[in-house]
Every structure is written in structure tokens, then in C-alpha cells.
Amino acid sequence: MKKAIRIIGIILVTVVLFATIIISMMPKASEPEDIWDDATTMGNTNAKNHYIIYSDLACPYCIIFENALLSHEEEYQEYINRNNILIEVRISDFLYEYGAHPSPASRLGAIATYCAKNEGKFWDYYNLAIKTIANDYDHYGIGSTNPTAGSTTDEYWLKLGKQVGLGEDFESCYKNKTPLSEIIATARKTLDLVDGMPFFKFNNYTFSGFSPNGTWEDAKMHLDAGLKKK
Amino acid sequence: MNWRKWLDEFVLAAKGITLVTKEKRFWFGFVPAFIFFGVLMNLLAGGFSSFNLMWATGFSGSMQIIGKAFIGLFGINQPFFNWLPVFGIALLQGILIGLIVFLWAKKREQKDSSSNSENIEKAGIITGLIALGAGCPTCGTTLLTPLLGAIFSTGGLAITGAISTIVTCLAIIIAILSLKRLGVETYAIIINDRFLKKRESKRKVKSSNEKSD
């Protein structure tokens, strides 16, 4: 009798545990969203498909996903145009604000990217940052510890600015942390919408995370899934 | 605590595991458990995204994802340091299930009424704990995150990293201790079997000699 109760208890706890996880992770259908910021979009603003990427430069799987797309940049561009997709990146210092280990790279990377955006070079800077981080930090943050990119310095982000032709205005924006309040507000808005980082909303197809060994083919499968969930 | 005895038990368990690899019944448990657990760990490595994709892409897409997770178990298209922990944990779990299957079959053979359910319970707990901690805890893409989110609301993400580390360590400790206990039990059973077989064959030789006399 005692054993039967114990087994029933274990089964019940397991079922409740996994039901909670599955229900909260099931794709959520949601209303079409407005664009938060035109400067961080790529493609036609009136496009049929709206793909949103919630990202953080200290998030290893964000880098892996974006780098997988950039590894086939031409194919990716052609895919977006052919399927009439608007890509919107919503970057913030989400992991610095709400993550388990506040990584300075999260905040510094966001400040630098916003400063580049203010100079009209969001995509140049963002894409270069993704490629550089992916190259500099191989196996970037995989595992239970925080990304090694947490050790990045101000010089790291400023150097990227110089590489895309950003000058003194960018540097002073970065040093004065000018866009910080905007970044914090974006992270706050993001918190209400995501389960973790990265988080993707491709039309009505939502998912969080990405395979640590993910390639362009894996990323493309997710892009394709979004087209089916219009 | 008698450390010497404790270490001796580990040595016996290692011998037991080595000996059991010659038993067919061990492999019946090991192979499916190793594959199932390894594929599951590979699927969960990126949070729940693989399952979301399977949900969205249907049968052919799902098969492609599972196939990739399967070949990933053997290190194909996997960076070494991503592959190693998945392979190690799948191996640990495979050995554990293999030992449970072997002991269960032996007990049935010997009509031993002692239960094996405690071992099965422990293996289940280990699987559950390891699966909960899989993914990227710092990013909040583990299976634990929604659960902690439901309890702690927005603070859930901040504690996911610590809890998932504790949960994974706990699972590995339970697995190693279970492995030790089962390994020792297996060693005793195999050695006892060998002794009985030897005695039986001696008795047969003796009785045939007596008959011929």
C-alpha cells in the first residue's frame, strides 16, 4: 500500500512537472506586432511576413544563430527578398538586467550597437559584432557558465566601431552611455514577451534557444517553419 | 566513514562493470538507453527549440532533426567540448540501465523476490534531473526556466543558472553512487555464478568418475 502511494506520488509529480514545462513552452499564437524601431529592420516594412529576433550580444545561442545566417549572407538576403520577409532585431542588455550572471558584455555590446544605430550603421556594426564574437570566442559560453565574452573591454566594442567607419560621435555616445535608458526600457519590454535568450517570433511561430552546433541549414528550417505559421 | 572500504567498493564496481560487458543482457539495456538518452540530450542542448521545430515541421522535418541528433551522439558535426558531456552522460545512463536490466534478468532467473524498483526509480530520477538542467542556463533556455518562471515570476531567470548547476551535479552524484552500488551487486552475482558453475562442473566430473568406478 505504502509503495503504491509512493509510485502514484512520483508519477503525479512527474506529470505535473512536465505538463507545466510543455504548456509554457508550446508555441504561442499572438497578434501581429508593430515595429519597435525601423533602424533595426531589414527588408520591406510592409512585408507579408514579420520575423522578430530578440537578441543579446552576451547570449551564446544568439551569436550561433545569427552567425549561421551570416555564414550564408547572400543566400539569406535572397531568401528574405524572395519570401517577402521583414527581419527585425530587438537587441537589449536583457542578460545583464535579468540573467543569472550579469555579463558586462551584454550591456557594453548593447550600448555600442545602439550608438552605431544612432549613426545609421546598425546592420554594419551588428553583423560585424556577431562575426567577430563568433570568431574570437569559439564555443562561446556553451555550458552552464557565462560566456567568456563577459571579459570584453570598452576597446573591444570601440574597435569594431572604427572598423565600420564610425568616428568620434560614436565614441562619445559609447563613453557617455547615451542610449542606456532606451536599452533598459527595451529589456523591460522584452522580459514580458520572451522565455529566454535568444527568442524568436517568426510570424506566429515562436521558439527560444538554438542548437549549439546549429548551421545555416538548421536556421533555415526555423525560417521555413515561420512561413508556414502565418 | 571508512574511506578504504568505500574506495574498495568503487574498484569492485569497476570490475563488475567490466565483467558485465561480456553479458548479452547488459547490452540489451545499454544500447537503447545510450541511444535514447544521447539523442534526448542532443535535442535538449538548444533548449526547447528542436521540439518546437519538430512540432512545426511535421514528420519529415522531425526525422531529419532526430537523425541529426543521433549522428551528433557519435561526435559527427559536433565540436569536441559540446559532444563530450553529452556522450559522457549518455554513457553513464546507458551503463546504469544496462546494469539494471542485467540484475533484473538475473533475479528473475534465480527467482529472487527482492525488488528492482528502487533502482528503476533512481534511474528515472537521474534522467529527469539531467534533462531539466540541459540547455543554456545563463540564457534561460533550459527546461527548468518555465518551471521556475511559474514559481518565481521574473526572478526565475536569474536563479535558473544556479539551480540547473545544482540539479545537474546532484544527478551526476546520484548516478555515480547508483553505479557503485549496482556495480558491486553485479560483481557479486557474476563471481557467485562462476563459482556455482565451477562447483557444478566439478560435481559432474566427480559423479561421472564414481559411476565409471
Side-chain angles (χ1 to χ4, degrees), chain A residues 167-229:
Chain A
E168 280 174 16
D169 288 345
F170 168 76
E171 213 168 308
S172 92
C173 166
Y174 178 85
K175 283 181 180 161
N176 296 324
K177 298 183 169 60
T178 312
L180 191 57
S181 55
E182 189 188 349
I183 292 167
I184 293 172
T186 307
R188 174 70 240 173
K189 258 161 85 179
T190 301
L191 182 66
D192 297 332
L193 301 164
V194 309
D195 292 330
M197 276 287 143
F199 188 84
F200 305 89
K201 186 177 178 295
F202 294 171
N203 287 330
N204 273 326
Y205 169 58
T206 57
F207 66 101
S208 181
F210 186 58
S211 167
N213 316 304
T215 57
W216 157 250
E217 282 74 28
D218 299 309
K220 194 171 163 292
M221 280 178 88
H222 285 289
L223 297 172
D224 289 340
L227 292 176
K228 289 180 195 159
K229 295 264 176 177

Side-chain angles (χ1 to χ4, degrees), chain A residues 110-186:
Chain A
I111 292 172
T113 312
Y114 274 64
C115 288
K117 181 191 77 172
N118 294 345
E119 302 287 311
K121 291 211 168 187
F122 173 80
W123 287 106
D124 293 339
Y125 190 91
Y126 183 68
N127 287 348
L128 180 68
I130 297 286
K131 285 179 194 167
T132 311
I133 294 168
N135 186 50
D136 291 350
Y137 300 94
D138 197 13
H139 308 309
Y140 175 72
I142 303 303
S144 57
T145 52
N146 210 34
T148 40
S151 57
T152 52
T153 56
D154 290 336
E155 284 68 42
Y156 189 86
W157 304 104
L158 289 170
K159 194 177 151 199
L160 291 176
K162 280 185 190 141
Q163 281 175 270
V164 294
L166 290 165
E168 280 174 16
D169 288 345
F170 168 76
E171 213 168 308
S172 92
C173 166
Y174 178 85
K175 283 181 180 161
N176 296 324
K177 298 183 169 60
T178 312
L180 191 57
S181 55
E182 189 188 349
I183 292 167
I184 293 172
T186 307

Side-chain angles (χ1 to χ4, degrees), chain A residues 17-92:
Chain A
L17 203 83
F18 280 93
T20 315
I21 291 166
I22 289 167
I23 290 167
S24 39
M25 295 200 109
M26 259 174 33
K28 304 162 189 92
S30 53
E31 294 299 310
E33 284 194 46
D34 292 333
I35 296 166
W36 282 5
D37 190 340
D38 281 337
T40 64
T41 63
M42 182 166 51
N44 178 3
T45 46
N46 298 314
K48 215 166 67 182
N49 302 291
H50 187 188
Y51 282 20
I52 304 166
I53 301 172
Y54 292 89
S55 186
D56 184 313
L57 286 174
C59 148
Y61 294 3
C62 305
I63 302 292
I64 295 167
F65 183 86
E66 297 267 17
N67 195 48
L69 297 179
L70 292 175
S71 67
H72 286 66
E73 209 167 350
E74 275 178 34
E75 217 174 313
Y76 175 46
Q77 284 290 347
E78 192 271 327
Y79 185 92
I80 292 169
N81 296 335
R82 179 163 38 90
N83 293 298
N84 196 11
I85 298 170
L86 172 75
I87 298 280
E88 182 184 1
V89 172
R90 293 177 178 175
I91 189 169
S92 69

Side-chain angles (χ1 to χ4, degrees), chain A residues 10-28, chain B residues 48 55 132 143-148 150:
Chain A
I10 290 172
I11 293 171
L12 262 174
V13 169
T14 313
V15 169
V16 170
L17 203 83
F18 280 93
T20 315
I21 291 166
I22 289 167
I23 290 167
S24 39
M25 295 200 109
M26 259 174 33
K28 304 162 189 92
Chain B
F48 225 66
W55 191 283
L132 280 176
L143 258 67
L144 260 176
T145 314
L147 195 70
L148 294 175

Side-chain angles (χ1 to χ4, degrees), chain B residues 88-134:
Chain B
I89 288 170
L91 195 68
L92 203 66
Q93 191 73 355
I95 294 173
L96 209 61
I97 303 286
L99 289 177
I100 289 172
V101 169
F102 172 76
L103 288 173
W104 174 75
K106 272 285 169 198
K107 281 177 181 174
R108 258 184 60 159
E109 209 173 73
Q110 293 167 359
K111 297 195 170 76
D112 183 345
S113 57
S114 66
S115 168
N116 207 20
S117 62
E118 199 191 324
N119 292 333
I120 297 166
E121 266 174 40
K122 269 194 188 149
I125 290 168
I126 294 161
T127 308
L129 289 180
I130 290 179
L132 280 176

